[in-house]
Amino acid sequence: MQNLLGRMPKAVADSFNDEQLNHLKLALGARSWGRHAVDIRATLPVPFTRWRYYLVFLMGKNRRELSEREKALSALASAALLSAFIVFCVLLGLLVLYLIKSALGINLFDDFSLGIWSEFKKLFE
């Protein structure tokens, strides 16, 4: 509150009575969006100019009410991430099975290899 009043002209800051100050404090203190788990802020000057850009990276629990469009985009992003995770797990599982098959010397097709086993062995030579 002192920071807010300090940015005002002294005559204006002194014009608030105790009741007004209490209501200001309640209104400003009720900002639940003001706290973030990750809060990184930086100011970046542009060399050889007078320009300065600011960078803000905030991350935390979303406490906002989402619009219908935001809900749809969120559902789409969640589905895409889940699909990518499942595809990654399946490909990793197939790679592990292929390496086990190759380590055991099992050939499904004569004179055919993907070359993964030979590259894998090179890593440990």
Side-chain angles (χ1 to χ4, degrees), residues 50-67:
R50 294 180 5 194
W51 298 347
R52 295 171 60 87
Y53 288 95
Y54 66 92
L55 168 74
V56 178
F57 181 75
L58 302 173
M59 188 167 69
K61 184 177 179 184
N62 190 3
R63 295 182 176 99
R64 303 176 300 134
E65 285 293 322
L66 299 178
S67 67

Side-chain angles (χ1 to χ4, degrees), residues 91-112:
L91 291 175
L92 184 64
L94 289 173
L95 176 65
V96 169
L97 287 174
Y98 179 82
L99 292 174
I100 291 171
K101 173 202 78 72
S102 298
L104 294 174
I106 301 170
N107 290 325
L108 298 178
F109 303 104
D110 292 332
D111 300 326
F112 178 78

Side-chain angles (χ1 to χ4, degrees), residues 62 64-83:
N62 190 3
R64 303 176 300 134
E65 285 293 322
L66 299 178
S67 67
E68 290 302 318
R69 183 172 187 221
E70 289 173 322
K71 287 178 185 177
L73 287 173
S74 177
L76 185 64
S78 295
L81 284 173
L82 181 62
S83 298

